[in-house]
Amino acid sequence: MADKPEYETALGASSRDKITLLGQDLAQDVMGEVGFGELAFWLATQRRPSKGETRVFEAVLAALADHGFTPTAIVTRLTYLSAPDSVQGALAAGLLGGGSRFLGVTEDCGRFLHDVLGTVEDQPTDEAGWDALASTTVESVRAQRKFVPGLGHHVHKDGDPRTARLFEIAAEEGLRGPHLELFAAIGRVHPQVLGKTLPLNGAGVCGAALADLGLPLELLRGFALLARTAGLIGQLAEELRHPVANDIFLSVDLNNRSVAPDPEV
């Protein structure tokens, strides 16, 4: 008889009387002892984060949890209105809307900064050096008629309040690394290159902070979605208490206007 295949994992495993997770006894060593943010970091990296890393990581999760009636929140409420028997469907609908305009900027910015840093042999050691690198970066993006991820916000025109706070927290924990330094420099120099001043947005600074924590770039959007899951649960909880989804639906349904077909030429 052939040997049974084995599937190795350092994550969760169960026996008749015990569950282990990351080499720890789940019931005795994790439950009630490890916070969820710390555990999420630990699961992704398979190393236990320091207190400073946990603080920065959880600050990112808090920054991305909920932004009010964004498309992700609205679609979650509307999906629940249509299928109240499917909480998972409502949450999934909201999470599927995490892309280049909402939530996905966290990944886009982290990757962008990482790619730029990968082009330099020696990272700058002072503000002037970071500003020079940032100027070259913004000029290159502008020449390609593209946009710098994390630059600009449709509401916080005069500055995203999350951005300065996350810079502050990272600095306090000694975790303001090269991704955050480059992002800060982009904030300083871009007005001279673009001829206008745009805020560094919260999603962008979150991507920079996560990259500085050494988290996998491929998972940066996943952490944004992890944070937004909590926010969407909050949206559903509020919808149960103070429903607005039906009003949103009717505001469109009762105010549509029939027009002649407009076929593509």
Side-chain angles (χ1 to χ4, degrees):
M1 185 174 180
D3 293 337
K4 293 181 180 179
E6 293 184 346
Y7 303 94
E8 296 182 351
T9 177
L11 302 178
S14 301
S15 63
R16 187 181 183 94
D17 58 357
K18 187 176 182 179
I19 304 172
T20 58
L21 181 63
L22 296 161
Q24 310 295 309
D25 185 302
L26 176 65
Q28 300 301 318
D29 302 328
V30 179
M31 295 171 62
E33 303 296 329
V34 180
F36 183 70
E38 180 182 2
L39 181 61
F41 188 110
W42 198 350
L43 287 167
T45 62
Q46 297 199 9
R47 68 173 181 83
R48 190 165 188 172
S50 67
K51 289 184 178 179
E53 288 174 323
T54 299
R55 184 180 179 221
V56 172
F57 182 68
E58 291 185 345
V60 168
L61 296 183
L64 297 174
D66 185 76
H67 298 166
F69 286 114
T70 59
T72 60
I74 292 171
V75 73
T76 289
R77 290 189 184 231
L78 289 174
T79 302
Y80 185 75
L81 173 68
S82 180
D85 52 319
S86 180
V87 170
Q88 71 274 23
L91 291 173
L95 294 176
L96 288 171
S100 59
R101 294 186 178 179
F102 290 87
L103 294 177
V105 177
T106 297
E107 176 189 354
D108 296 342
C109 187
R111 283 180 175 274
F112 171 79
L113 297 170
H114 192 78
D115 288 345
V116 173
L117 292 170
T119 66
V120 297
E121 292 186 7
D122 298 311
Q123 293 180 3
T125 57
D126 56 21
E127 187 172 291
W130 284 112
D131 285 358
L133 176 59
S135 293
T136 300
T137 299
V138 178
E139 288 170 355
S140 174
V141 172
R142 185 187 185 190
Q144 298 174 57
R145 298 182 179 275
K146 296 182 178 180
F147 297 98
V148 177
L151 193 58
H153 196 282
H154 68 289
V155 175
H156 305 300
K157 303 294 186 182
D158 300 319
D160 190 321
R162 298 167 297 171
T163 301
R165 180 57 177 150
L166 194 50
F167 272 119
E168 181 181 10
I169 291 171
E172 289 172 355
E173 300 300 336
L175 293 169
R176 179 164 165 160
H179 298 86
L180 283 169
E181 290 293 353
L182 177 56
F183 195 52
I186 288 172
R188 290 192 297 269
V189 307
H190 79 270
Q192 289 74 44
V193 179
L194 302 181
K196 58 183 176 181
T197 301
L198 300 170
L200 297 175
N201 63 52
V205 76
C206 285
L210 291 175
D212 273 344
L213 289 175
L215 292 164
L217 297 177
E218 297 83 358
L219 298 181
L220 296 193
R221 189 173 305 191
F223 297 120
L225 295 173
L226 172 66
R228 186 51 57 90
T229 299
L232 295 179
I233 290 173
Q235 291 284 336
L236 288 177
E238 186 174 77
E239 181 67 21
L240 291 171
R241 297 191 303 272
H242 305 290
V244 299
N246 196 55
D247 291 337
I248 295 173
F249 156 59
L250 291 177
S251 71
V252 177
D253 188 53
L254 299 180
N255 292 285
N256 67 78
R257 180 171 60 90
S258 181
V259 298
D262 183 22
E264 294 183 2
V265 177

